[in-house]
Amino acid sequence: MQTTPLTEQEIQQLRAETKGTSNKIHFNNAGCSMATDVVVGTVVNYLNEEASFGGYETEAKYSEQLDKTYDSIARLINAEKNEVAIVENASTAWALAFNGIDFKPGDEIITCEMEYVTNLIGLVHVQKTQGVKVILIPNDEHGDFSLQALEDAISPQTKLIAVTHIPSSAGGMIPIVEIGKIARKHNVLYLVDACQSAGHVPLDVKEIGCDMLSVTGRKYLRAPRGTGFLFVRKPVQDKLKLIFMDGFSTEWISETDYKMRADARRFEMYEKNRALMLGLGKAIDYALNIGVDRIWLRIQYLANILRQQLNQIEGITVHDFGSEQCGIVTFTVTGIESGEVKAKLAQDNINVSVGLAKSTLFYMNKNHLANVVRASVHYYNTDEEITMLCTKLKDMLVN
Ligand SMILES: *Cc1c(COP(=O)(O)O)cnc(C)c1O
């Protein structure tokens, strides 16, 4: 079915529902998007009810709605509800999955050049402490992930393929569906970091064929900070060790034995921020109501015009790689440090961020980049805002 673009009227309506869009030109959506008024209202209202009526009492009142957040997540990524755990960020989600794997000396993990810092540290840690070998697949000469190199790297020792779908400081994308086919063919565990992808690009865990997938709330999903979730395919849940256990993730079967919960909520603990959980659910419903396919179309449109305009400015180099590109646009400005570019734009009410080498170490080192300016667009950004950004950058270069 053809995806219908967001109309001008819809965009104006969506902007009207987000207070922040009238205050700032916000191109830091890969850092944290502007939350919608309804999400903020949901969280604040819940906290007020807790304060007025009691935490447990408010939870009881909202129990059905709290539970619905799991349904919303399941719909967003085409998972089953019992395959979803809600946690406070993507790093926790990833670490719960990764550290649950029973690595043995000699095991091999295959990863990509775009892997995120949290994940790389985790990989290097098991390499240092458990005699596991980490194999990195560099992007090919076009800047694309090489499926052939992945095929060639797989051996009987391959225990895990772990990749980041959309890197934090580059505008490219890793072909997670094709990688999934290879992972399935060789029966290798497959962990996807979809932190930047959720709410940005349509995600379908059945199509991806991943065993585990980690997401944060605050980025393209526009959920409150301090939210995230982990997907673990049902048959894989029992293969992972539990790092943390409490009376919620496990239950007694005798005074000397316990069993784990039967669903992915075993990766959660009892105590959590319920106001934020409701906010997360609201944010996901908001995205689903618009349609993630329509969001993706709009983001691609905006990112394309931003790249085109940047490419026309002498003194600006766009660094995004590969044949598939997303809403994260990265560039450097000749003669002006990325941090200074960010500070100057902030004076004009424009938010961008700086992508640091440490976040995507292999890619940045390979390309000799210490940092880049990152202007990440979301569907609520406009053509006018992009023109404004580029005008300010031109001014900066002549002054
Ligand atoms: C931001 C980011 C993370 C970490 O998310 P947190 O919610 O901050 O833990 C992981 N992976 C990628 C690709 C990211 O951009």
Side-chain angles (χ1 to χ4, degrees), residues 30 89-92 116 118-119 164 166-168 193 195-196 216 218-219 227:
N89 53 56
S91 296
T92 300
Y116 182 71
T118 300
N119 317 356
T164 293
I166 294 181
S168 81
D193 175 333
C195 191
Q196 292 289 358
T216 207
R218 73 180 183 280
K219 296 180 179 174
T227 57

Side-chain angles (χ1 to χ4, degrees), residues 177-370:
V177 172
E178 287 70 24
I179 294 172
K181 288 186 184 133
I182 295 172
R184 291 277 72 84
K185 185 170 92 185
H186 296 279
N187 202 17
V188 171
L189 276 176
Y190 181 30
L191 167 56
V192 174
D193 175 333
C195 191
Q196 292 289 358
S197 336
H200 183 164
V201 187
L203 287 174
D204 178 335
V205 291
K206 297 192 170 70
E207 188 193 9
I208 300 164
C210 56
D211 296 297
M212 299 152 289
L213 178 126
S214 54
V215 168
T216 207
R218 73 180 183 280
K219 296 180 179 174
Y220 278 84
L221 277 176
R222 310 185 63 197
R225 294 198 68 170
T227 57
F229 64 83
L230 169 67
F231 157 82
V232 182
R233 209 158 60 83
K234 191 77 183 68
V236 176
Q237 290 172 16
D238 280 339
K239 294 189 185 152
L240 300 182
K241 291 174 287 186
L242 274 194
I243 315 290
F244 302 116
M245 292 180 233
D246 70 359
F248 176 84
S249 57
T250 58
E251 67 179 279
W252 291 118
I253 47 181
S254 74
E255 285 189 356
T256 54
D257 205 3
Y258 66 90
K259 67 173 186 194
M260 293 186 236
R261 266 184 78 107
D263 60 20
R265 290 187 213 185
R266 66 176 62 173
F267 299 105
E268 299 177 6
M269 307 243 89
Y270 165 72
E271 180 56 3
K272 46 184 72 91
N273 192 321
R274 287 160 174 87
L276 295 186
M277 238 173 100
L278 266 196
L280 172 65
K282 272 276 187 275
I284 294 173
D285 291 345
Y286 196 85
L288 290 170
N289 277 336
I290 301 169
V292 180
D293 55 336
R294 303 181 74 213
I295 292 173
W296 177 217
L297 194 66
R298 168 82 182 162
I299 290 175
Q300 285 174 294
Y301 164 80
L302 291 169
N304 281 339
I305 55 170
L306 176 54
R307 285 195 190 95
Q308 277 168 19
Q309 292 194 21
L310 289 173
N311 276 321
Q312 283 164 11
I313 305 174
E314 203 175 323
I316 288 190
T317 312
V318 176
H319 294 288
D320 302 331
F321 66 93
S323 47
E324 257 207 303
Q325 302 197 333
C326 65
I328 297 177
V329 178
T330 63
F331 58 94
T332 43
V333 183
T334 307
I336 313 177
E337 278 297 318
S338 299
E340 202 184 328
V341 174
K342 174 183 150 168
K344 285 189 165 165
L345 289 170
Q347 287 169 5
D348 290 314
N349 234 12
I350 300 174
N351 296 341
V352 297
S353 61
V354 175
L356 299 173
K358 72 166 185 185
S359 303
T360 317
L361 193 68
F362 283 108
Y363 161 79
M364 296 288 277
N365 282 353
K366 182 175 143 184
N367 292 290
H368 311 291
L369 293 167

Side-chain angles (χ1 to χ4, degrees), residues 138-159:
N139 287 334
D140 66 16
E141 66 275 22
H142 309 292
D144 287 316
F145 181 84
S146 169
L147 294 166
Q148 188 55 52
L150 171 63
E151 275 279 3
D152 296 344
I154 289 180
S155 80
Q157 282 70 49
T158 311
K159 180 91 170 198

